[in-house]
Amino acid sequence: MKSHPRVLPPPDLEALFGVLVTVHARLLADELPPDLVRQLLNRLTDHGPLPEGASAGALGDVRGLR
């Protein structure tokens, strides 16, 4: 079955980008709750670019965020 990519409207993309920027800023300021950091690490190691066992410091180095 062939997949058909869906494109989000620009306002939705802008909103998502704003959320990412806010989370990244809080991450760099060490202002995210530990459980959220763990969830982000789990997501990015299980389904993303981080290797298993990556530290919270690696979150700020994910390509495209810095």
Side-chain angles (χ1 to χ4, degrees):
M1 180 177 250
K2 194 174 187 179
S3 68
H4 299 283
R6 289 182 257 163
V7 178
L8 291 173
D12 291 349
L13 291 172
E14 290 171 9
L16 285 172
F17 185 72
V19 169
L20 290 173
V21 168
T22 301
V23 170
H24 189 240
R26 293 289 183 102
L27 174 67
L28 293 179
D30 199 26
E31 295 176 350
L32 291 181
D35 61 319
L36 179 56
V37 172
R38 276 191 303 279
Q39 289 175 337
L40 291 170
L41 276 171
N42 289 340
R43 177 68 181 172
L44 291 172
T45 55
D46 294 346
H47 306 285
L50 293 179
E52 189 66 34
S55 68
L59 285 174
D61 293 331
V62 174
R63 179 182 280 179
L65 293 180
R66 215 179 221 183

